[in-house]
Amino acid sequence: MIPGLEPVALKDLLALGQPKVWEVNGNHDELASLTPIRGRVCAEHRGNILEVEGSLQTIICLRCDRCLGHFNQQLTVDNSELIWLGSDPSEETFGNGIFDAEAPEGLMECLDPRGSFEPERWVFEQLSLQMSVVNRCGDHCPGPPVQTSAAAAPTTPTALKDPRWQALRDLQASMEPSPDQRHD
Ligand SMILES: [Zn+2]
């Protein structure tokens, strides 16, 4: 739990009559970050929409899908979002053109006006959206760890062809019980 980011009732935000600002500095339980999540979130109740904006930063440790090495990635959020307050955004509301101008991507989410806004959840969702589906450590990625797995294998084709091991292989062969040849 990030300190101070408790859910707030939407009616309280409405009664506030001005934007509410949260200073963010802490770790989220579901997001293992190397550094605390820092930044701020601001929410303003504007009748039938809630305008939320926030800027956040943290650093997470990821595992490269290609070389399997760990690397750090900075997540940066600088976003604003309009959340519809109601269960059924009607065409009438969208049709008046007000929201379209302010939110080109449209209203993504809606909240029950009798419910509450959860700033911590908003922070988590925004940071999660920054994470890529495929993790790559960067241009310097050494690629799949082929060398490592080959060296770890006890007997590789290269080792068998090495003439220096021939004497050992002969010795091994002579010690192996082979009934067909050793009973003369
Ligand atoms: Zn890599």
Side-chain angles (χ1 to χ4, degrees):
M1 179 80 200
I2 301 173
L5 264 65
E6 288 82 13
V8 58
L10 288 167
K11 60 177 173 57
D12 291 345
L13 279 178
L14 180 63
L16 193 64
Q18 61 179 347
K20 181 169 174 60
V21 178
W22 291 269
E23 297 296 334
V24 182
N25 189 353
N27 291 294
H28 193 286
D29 298 337
E30 295 172 49
L31 193 116
S33 57
L34 292 177
T35 60
I37 301 165
R38 291 201 180 93
R40 65 191 279 278
V41 173
C42 175
E44 182 178 11
H45 200 302
R46 288 164 53 185
N48 49 9
I49 56 166
L50 184 72
E51 181 172 7
V52 186
E53 58 179 50
S55 54
L56 303 157
Q57 265 188 16
T58 190
I59 295 173
I60 56 170
C61 184
L62 296 171
R63 187 174 181 176
C64 178
D65 292 330
R66 200 150 167 257
C67 69
L68 306 183
H70 289 93
F71 66 101
N72 296 339
Q73 186 180 60
Q74 178 165 311
L75 296 180
T76 305
V77 168
D78 196 357
N79 195 21
S80 64
E81 184 182 29
L82 296 178
I83 299 172
W84 170 254
L85 301 178
S87 54
D88 180 27
S90 62
E91 279 192 25
E92 194 183 333
T93 313
F94 286 104
N96 64 21
I98 294 173
F99 301 137
D100 298 38
E102 295 188 50
E105 70 271 39
L107 296 173
M108 311 269 289
E109 286 194 62
C110 60
L111 280 174
D112 185 339
R114 293 161 297 179
S116 47
F117 171 67
E118 299 172 56
E120 189 180 37
R121 191 174 143 202
W122 194 84
V123 165
F124 176 70
E125 287 174 353
Q126 295 296 314
L127 288 169
S128 299
L129 287 172
Q130 298 295 312
M131 294 185 197
S132 48
V133 180
V134 178
N135 294 321
R136 283 287 152 80
C137 64
D139 295 337
H140 59 279
C141 180
V146 178
Q147 291 301 111
T148 310
S149 58
T155 51
T156 66
T158 310
L160 289 173
K161 282 175 191 162
D162 190 332
R164 288 172 294 180
W165 292 104
Q166 189 58 46
L168 180 64
R169 280 200 299 277
D170 291 344
L171 184 65
Q172 275 182 325
S174 69
M175 291 172 74
E176 272 170 16
S178 49
D180 296 332
Q181 293 172 12
R182 294 285 166 186
H183 282 283
D184 49 348

